[in-house]
């Protein structure tokens, strides 16, 4: 383009394509931009604003340079976003943690928490009673990256963990209330095993929520959540959170985690030097999340934040309803067994009283005597319960495990896990208990009718 043609264009009305993006600079006293600057002291939204934006305008050349060298501030949502950070602060506070990181799903939280600690040639020990997606990850997928896992059947036996720990073990993993059988974890006992080896205990506390138990207070080092469940609460969005206790001990454990102690490629300070006890979560925030990219949508973050505002009310009600349902089911002749730690008959009742005095959660399983045929009739007869693979919703949900979420297990693996042809998982919602019992009675009546 010649100098003359540029001159001709200066001062001309902007072209359509430019205008649809930037407006007409000359038509307004303000620079024509649809970006809303929020530092105005006169605008104070009561709700968390949704910063639904891929990135943030860099003020000027120097500010950009400063932002990229310090890492402080907002440049791109995969790196940091104020709406997501609001959730992180809230969950860290609720869990009694030092810092939290929000990601796009619970599965992403589990993957990131593990991969931040463990690398090729290293090893994980996990309780075997865990969410089936995590079990599949550990069993089938991480081995492809050179990471092996041993599983412990009796998760509350410290000696069983000790037996399989190797010099290369970098993390222990378990769920506080395991999905689907509500077999409560003795968090303090397993944390002590981890600490004797200088490695962290990661607890997936999705089914408990910090309202029922705060694993960090019992010695766990890292807590992960599927925020898709009780946090969001209404079955609308996915999310995941990792919470760290901020107690990484470089003297005790630094030699096991070179990713935290090695200096950067260009010689900058290591994560341990820069973040001290927060080295693990700083590494997840600065490296694992932006590089692996499981970013949560700010819109989802907003909905999770709204959910968190009623968390205790829902979980308290859901736990009370669950106890009512479990007690009722236990009385029914068609029901062979009920796996709920709130029941006096549960082998996990004493642990539940110790760790979960305010309620034992609302996700548990029970087994119908009539096997898969009874399960089919029962599920198809229900009206109030929703038939779906989800949990922690305000609505009550039901699922037949062997034919759905656990269908990749062999018969032997199923019976090892106590999942029988008649086993159903329920997630109890906030409905009126009488209506839930009437619905379950409808299912049992249908079984009797078919006999
Ligand atoms: C205990 C537990 N952890 C993690 C997940 C994975 O969460 P998401 O579905 O949000 O990826 C689930 C999902 O059911 C779960 O039950």
């Amino acid at each position: 383009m010649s100098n003359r043609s540029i001159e001709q264009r200066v001062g001309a009305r902007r072209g359509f394509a430019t205008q649809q993006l930037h407006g007409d600079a000359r038509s307004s006293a303000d620079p024509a931009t649809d970006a809303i600057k929020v530092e105005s002291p006169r605008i104070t939204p009561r709700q968390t604003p949704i910063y639904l934006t891929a990135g943030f305008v860099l003020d000027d050349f120097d500010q950009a340079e400063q932002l990229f060298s310090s890492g402080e501030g907002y440049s791109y949502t995969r790196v940091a976003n104020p709406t997501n950070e609001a959730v992180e602060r809230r969950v860290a506070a609720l869990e009694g943690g030092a810092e939290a990181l929000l990601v796009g799903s619970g599965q992403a939280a589990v993957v990131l928490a593990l991969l931040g600690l463990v690398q090729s040639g290293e090893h994980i020990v996990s309780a075997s009673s865990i969410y089936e997606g995590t079990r599949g990850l550990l069993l089938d997928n991480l081995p492809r990256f050179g990471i092996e896992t041993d599983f412990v059947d009796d998760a509350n036996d410290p000696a069983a963990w000790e037996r399989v720990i190797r010099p290369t073990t970098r993390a222990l993993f378990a769920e506080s209330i395991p999905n689907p059988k509500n077999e409560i974890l003795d968090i303090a006992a397993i944390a002590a095993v981890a600490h004797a080896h200088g490695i962290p205990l990661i607890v997936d506390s999705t089914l408990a929520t910090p309202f029922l138990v705060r694993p960090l207070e019992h010695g766990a080092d890292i807590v992960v959540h599927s925020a898709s469940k009780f946090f969001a609460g209404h079955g609308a969005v996915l999310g995941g959170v990792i919470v760290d206790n901020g107690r990484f001990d470089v003297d005790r454990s630094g030699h096991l985690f070179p990713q935290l102690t090695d200096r950067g490629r260009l010689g900058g300070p290591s994560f341990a030097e820069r973040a001290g006890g927060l080295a693990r979560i700083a590494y997840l925030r600065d490296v694992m999340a932006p590089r692996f990219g499981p970013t949560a949508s700010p819109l989802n973050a907003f909905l999770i934040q709204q959910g968190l505002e009623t968390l205790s009310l829902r979980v308290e009600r859901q736990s009370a309803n669950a106890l009512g349902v479990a007690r009722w089911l236990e009385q029914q002749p068609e029901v062979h067994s009920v796996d709920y730690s709130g029941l006096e008959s549960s082998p996990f009742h004493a642990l539940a009283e110790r760790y979960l005095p305010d309620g034992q959660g609302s996700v548990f399983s029970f087994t119908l005597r009539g096997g898969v045929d009874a399960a089919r009739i029962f599920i198809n007869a229900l009206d109030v319960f929703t038939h779906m693979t989800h949990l922690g919703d305000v609505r009550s949900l039901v699922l037949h495990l062997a034919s759905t979420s656990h269908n990749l297990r062999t018969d032997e693996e199923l019976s090892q896990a106590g999942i029988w042809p008649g086993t159903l998982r329920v997630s109890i919602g906030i409905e009126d208990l009488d209506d839930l019992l009437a619905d379950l009675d409808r299912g049992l009546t249908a079984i009797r009718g078919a006999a």
Side-chain angles (χ1 to χ4, degrees), residues 48-337:
T48 308
I50 307 172
Y51 289 87
L52 196 59
T53 178
F56 301 85
V57 178
L58 300 164
D59 286 349
D60 56 31
F61 190 95
D62 292 340
Q63 183 256 353
E65 188 177 32
Q66 161 66 17
L67 193 155
F68 274 76
S69 64
S70 69
E72 302 290 324
Y74 300 103
S75 59
Y76 193 57
T77 282
R78 178 156 46 72
V79 180
N81 178 288
T83 312
N84 296 17
E85 286 180 353
V87 175
E88 291 169 352
R89 282 194 299 275
R90 183 72 48 89
V91 175
L94 291 173
E95 279 292 2
E99 249 189 54
L101 177 70
L102 177 73
V103 290
S105 70
Q107 191 76 6
V110 171
V111 171
L112 226 64
L114 289 170
L115 292 188
L117 297 167
V118 187
Q119 58 199 30
S120 176
E122 295 180 339
H123 177 247
I124 297 165
V125 183
S126 171
S128 47
S129 180
I130 52 172
Y131 164 59
E132 198 61 6
T134 307
R135 180 174 172 274
L137 169 81
L138 297 170
L139 194 63
D140 301 329
N141 309 122
L142 290 188
R144 193 162 77 77
F145 302 97
I147 298 168
E148 289 181 15
T149 299
D150 272 300
F151 292 91
V152 172
D153 287 340
D154 183 357
N156 290 329
D157 176 8
W161 293 80
E162 284 288 358
R163 272 196 293 280
V164 290
I165 288 177
R166 307 175 187 171
T168 54
T169 305
R170 292 292 175 269
L172 306 189
F173 185 92
E175 294 179 4
S176 51
I177 300 182
N179 176 1
K181 293 195 50 139
N182 209 275
E183 303 138 311
I184 308 310
L185 180 72
D186 187 345
I187 301 168
I190 309 312
V193 176
H195 298 162
H197 294 269
I199 55 177
L201 170 64
I202 305 175
V203 172
D204 182 334
S205 209
T206 298
L207 271 57
T209 83
F211 175 67
L212 295 179
V213 67
R214 290 147 61 111
L216 302 180
E217 291 176 357
H218 298 282
D221 302 278
I222 297 165
V223 170
V224 291
H225 282 281
S226 166
S228 328
K229 313 295 193 230
F230 293 93
F231 283 11
H234 298 75
V237 296
L238 301 191
V241 187
I242 303 161
V243 191
D244 193 287
N245 67 359
R247 299 214 188 110
F248 177 69
D249 181 348
V250 69
D251 297 329
R252 172 78 178 91
S253 309
H255 65 290
L256 302 174
F257 302 99
Q259 69 275 34
L260 305 182
T261 55
D262 286 354
R263 302 208 123 205
R265 187 158 46 84
L266 301 178
S270 71
F271 281 91
E273 285 167 334
R274 187 154 65 73
L278 289 166
R280 285 184 303 236
I281 191 93
Y283 182 69
L284 293 186
R285 184 183 300 289
D286 293 359
V287 176
M288 297 299 294
R291 289 285 161 79
F292 285 74
T295 315
S297 161
L299 186 57
N300 292 359
F302 173 82
L303 291 167
I304 292 165
Q305 183 86 337
Q306 281 219 317
L308 286 170
E309 292 180 353
T310 55
L311 181 68
S312 69
L313 303 178
R314 288 183 282 107
V315 172
E316 189 174 30
R317 163 90 171 199
Q318 286 172 272
S319 289
N321 271 355
L323 183 59
V325 167
R327 285 200 171 126
W328 184 87
L329 283 171
E330 209 177 26
Q331 306 300 318
Q332 308 308 312
E334 293 80 10
V335 175
H336 172 264
S337 53

